[in-house]
Amino acid sequence: MKAIQEFTKGIIKENPVFVMALGLCPVLAVSTSVQNAIGMGAAATFVLVCSNIFISLLKNFIPSKVRIPCYILVIASFVTIVDMAMEAYVPPLHKSLGIFIPLIVVNCIILGRAEAFASKNGVFKSMLDGLGMGVGFMLAIIVIASIREFLGVGTILDIRILPASYKPMIAAILPPGAFITIGLLMGLLSILQNKKKSKA
Amino acid sequence: MDFSTLFIIIIGSIFVNNFVIHRFLGLCPYIGVSKKMDSAFGMGMAVIFVMTMASTITWLIYTFFLNKATSIFGIDLTFLRTIAFILSIAVLVQFVEMVIKKAAPELYKALGIYLPLITTNCAVLGVSLLNINENYNFIESIVNGAAAGVGFTLVLVLMAGIRERLEYSKVPKSMKGMPISFIVAGCMALAFLGFSGMKF
Amino acid sequence: MKDFIRPTLVLLIICVISGAILAFIYQQTAPLIAENKLKAEEAARRLVLPDAEFFKPVSDSSEVLYYEGYSADSTLVGYIFSCVQYGYSSDVKTIVGLTPELMISAITVVSQAETPGLGANCTKDDFTAQFTGKNPDNIYVDKDGGDIQSLTGATITTRAVTNAIRDAFQKLQDRL
C-alpha cells in the first residue's frame, strides 16, 4: 500500500467515528460548538500521532506480555502533556473541554491504532496512520458540531449564519440533539453505501 | 455523616446527571453491549462493581500520594493523576478478574467476559476524575461511584429492552442497527431532560 | 523467572522516563497556569470596575471578603465582591462591581454550566448590562415584582444571579 493511502484511509474509508463507531463519547460531548470540536480534534490528533510514533519506535523493546500497560503509559503521558499545555496557553478552551481532555486516554481510537497498526508497522507509516485517523476523527466532530451549532444557536464558529430573528432549536445543543444528529448521519451514510453496493 | 448530601449525590448521579445520557461517558458499551438483556445486565453489574472499587482506590491514591496538602510525600504530584488513575484502574480490573476467577467461578462465568472491556470504559476514569473535581470526601466518592454505576446499568438495561423489541419492528433498512439505536438514545435523553433542574 | 524480570523492567523504565518528562513540563507550565488564573480574575475585576487602576483585598481572619478598587491617584472608586448561588443545573458565580455610592457599576458571570441556549445566556452582555446603575439592596426578577428582566426560558438562572447579588450585598453592607 502506498504511503499516502495510510493517511487517506482514516478520513473516509475507515473513518473512526462514522464507520468504526470508536471514540464516541468525546464526539457527542464536545460537539456543542465548532470551536470545541476543533480543539478536541487537534488534541486527539496530537496524542494519536505522538503515541503512534513512539509505540512504533518501541515495538521491539516492549515485551508482548505487558504491551497494553506500556501503550496506556505512553498515551497517558502525551495526554497529560496536552492537558497542561492547553491549560497554560488556551485556558478558555481547556475549561470548556474540561474532563474530556484527560479522558482522551481511554479513547478507544488511540489504543486501537496502537495495538492494530503502530505495533506492527514502521515509524513513518504509523505517523501517517495516526495523522489520518486524527484528521478523520476531527472532521467527524466538526461535521456534527456544525450541524448542532447551526440549528441550536444559528451560528458557525460564532459567526452568525441565520438572522438574529431565528428562534434557535435549543434541543440540538442539548444531549438529545447529539444522539439524534449522529443517528441520522449514520443512517445517511448507510443509504449512500447501499446505493454504491447496488450499483456495483 | 450528612445523609441528605449523600441522597442528593445518589439521585444526581443516577437521574439528573446520568453518566451516559447527560455526561456522554461510557457510550461504547452503551451501544455495543445493549443488544441482549442478560448481557446488558451482566455488564451493568460488572461496571457498578468496578466503578465503586475504582472510586475508592483512586480517591485514596489522590489523597495520600498526589495532593500536596494531604500527601505523605508532601510534594505536589497532581499532574500525574491521569496516569496514576488509569494504571490503577487497569491493575484493579486485572486483580478483580483473578480474584473472582478463583473465589467465585459462577460469578466469573457471568461477568468475566465484560471485565477486560471495562478498563477502557471512560465512565470509570470519568467518575474518578469527577470525584476529585467535585471535592468529594471518601464516603461521598464511594457513594458517587456506586450511584453512577447504577445509573449506567439503568439506561443500559432500558436500552437493551428497547432494542430487543426493535428486532421485531419494521425499521428502514438504512437505519437498522446503530443509527436507530442512537435515535432511541436521543429519545431517552429527551425523557431524562425532565430530571434536570431538580432541586431538593 | 527471566520472563518476569524483563517486562517489569521495561514497564519501570517507561514509567520513570514519562514521569521525568511530565515533571519537567509541569515545571514549565505551572507558573503560566497560575498566572492565567490571576490574569482572568484581574480581568473580571477590571471589567466590572473600569475606572480602577489597582485593587486591594479586604479580608477578615480567614478569607477575602471583597476588594477595594483605587484609581491611579489612590482615590477609592468602588468595591468588588463575588457571589455564588445554585441556578438550574450548576453553581452560577458572579463578580459584582459597586460604585462608592453602593450602586452596581457592572457585573460579570465568571462560571456557570447552565442549559446552553437558555440559562447559559446569562454570560451575555445584553443580560448583564441591565444590572448597571441598580441598587443591589433592592433588585428582584420581574416575576418576583422587580425590574430585572429574566432570560427567556431561564427564570431560575436569572433569579440565582439576582438573589445571589442581593444576599451577598446585604451580608457585606455594614462593612462597606
Side-chain angles (χ1 to χ4, degrees), chain A residues 158-199:
Chain A
D158 284 332
I159 300 162
R160 190 150 276 290
I161 309 281
L162 293 170
S165 59
Y166 166 70
K167 200 144 200 264
M169 197 172 118
I170 288 158
I173 42 175
L174 295 178
F179 286 114
I180 292 172
T181 309
I182 196 169
L184 291 178
L185 277 174
M186 282 180 160
L188 193 71
L189 230 80
S190 83
I191 290 180
L192 293 177
Q193 273 171 348
N194 289 344
K195 266 202 183 142
K196 237 188 193 170
K197 260 184 218 158
S198 59
K199 257 185 197 169

Side-chain angles (χ1 to χ4, degrees), chain A residues 63-66, chain C residues 1-10:
Chain A
S64 67
K65 253 188 196 163
V66 289
Chain C
M1 197 57 199
K2 216 180 164 192
D3 355 319
F4 177 72
I5 292 172
R6 200 173 114 84
T8 323
L9 214 62
V10 169

Side-chain angles (χ1 to χ4, degrees), chain A residues 45-115:
Chain A
T45 307
F46 173 80
V47 175
L48 198 48
V49 170
C50 293
S51 68
N52 258 13
I53 291 177
F54 267 75
I55 285 162
S56 156
L57 279 174
L58 295 173
K59 65 176 181 285
N60 295 326
F61 176 65
I62 295 173
S64 67
K65 253 188 196 163
V66 289
R67 67 181 192 287
I68 299 290
C70 288
Y71 298 163
I72 292 181
L73 256 175
V74 172
I75 295 168
S77 308
F78 284 113
V79 169
T80 312
I81 291 173
V82 170
D83 192 8
M84 291 191 287
M86 283 179 105
E87 194 172 2
Y89 297 108
V90 277
L93 188 62
H94 180 267
K95 206 177 156 195
S96 61
L97 295 181
I99 188 178
F100 282 94
I101 301 174
L103 284 179
I104 297 176
V105 177
V106 280
N107 188 326
C108 354
I109 299 175
I110 297 172
L111 194 61
R113 289 331 281 176
E115 169 81 358

Side-chain angles (χ1 to χ4, degrees), chain B residues 149-170:
Chain B
V150 172
F152 175 83
T153 310
L154 175 74
V155 293
L156 188 67
V157 168
L158 283 177
M159 187 69 171
I162 297 173
R163 281 182 80 172
E164 279 191 350
R165 283 168 186 243
L166 271 181
E167 289 283 307
Y168 303 106
S169 14
K170 278 190 184 159

Side-chain angles (χ1 to χ4, degrees), chain A residues 25 80 100 103 105-106 190-191, chain B residues 23-25 27 79 122 174:
Chain A
C25 306
T80 312
F100 282 94
L103 284 179
V105 177
V106 280
S190 83
I191 290 180
Chain B
R23 293 197 199 270
F24 297 112
L25 294 168
L27 283 176
F79 64 93
C122 50
S174 53

Side-chain angles (χ1 to χ4, degrees), chain C residues 59-134:
Chain C
S59 40
D60 67 356
S61 52
S62 59
E63 54 181 343
V64 175
L65 293 172
Y66 62 94
Y67 288 84
E68 287 173 340
Y70 293 93
S71 64
D73 52 356
S74 297
T75 46
L76 183 72
V77 291
Y79 308 95
I80 289 159
F81 65 89
S82 72
C83 52
V84 63
Q85 192 166 327
Y86 195 82
Y88 187 71
S89 57
S90 66
D91 277 330
V92 182
K93 190 179 174 198
T94 313
I95 307 274
V96 184
L98 296 176
T99 62
E101 297 80 37
L102 302 185
M103 291 304 199
I104 296 176
S105 77
I107 70 161
T108 177
V109 177
V110 286
S111 82
Q112 53 84 23
E114 301 288 287
T115 320
L118 297 173
N121 287 341
C122 66
T123 55
K124 298 235 163 97
D125 292 344
D126 341 352
F127 172 72
T128 54
Q130 60 173 323
F131 285 87
T132 301
K134 299 248 157 69

Side-chain angles (χ1 to χ4, degrees), chain B residues 114-185:
Chain B
Y114 305 112
L115 284 169
L117 290 174
I118 291 179
T119 313
T120 50
N121 180 344
C122 50
V124 179
L125 183 59
V127 77
S128 311
L129 292 167
L130 281 172
N131 285 338
I132 306 300
N133 284 359
E134 302 275 329
N135 278 322
Y136 284 152
N137 66 28
F138 188 54
I139 306 287
E140 285 167 354
S141 296
I142 298 176
V143 169
N144 187 36
V150 172
F152 175 83
T153 310
L154 175 74
V155 293
L156 188 67
V157 168
L158 283 177
M159 187 69 171
I162 297 173
R163 281 182 80 172
E164 279 191 350
R165 283 168 186 243
L166 271 181
E167 289 283 307
Y168 303 106
S169 14
K170 278 190 184 159
V171 177
K173 195 177 147 210
S174 53
M175 293 300 282
K176 272 209 170 115
M178 225 147 21
I180 194 72
S181 309
F182 276 110
I183 306 284
V184 169

Side-chain angles (χ1 to χ4, degrees), chain A residues 65-66 68-69 72, chain B residues 50 86-102 108 115-119:
Chain A
K65 253 188 196 163
V66 289
I68 299 290
I72 292 181
Chain B
V50 172
I86 187 69
L87 280 183
S88 47
I89 290 169
V91 171
L92 171 78
V93 172
Q94 286 270 311
F95 187 69
V96 167
E97 201 180 342
M98 285 193 306
V99 169
I100 294 185
K101 207 174 182 176
K102 285 246 165 69
Y108 181 76
L115 284 169
L117 290 174
I118 291 179
T119 313

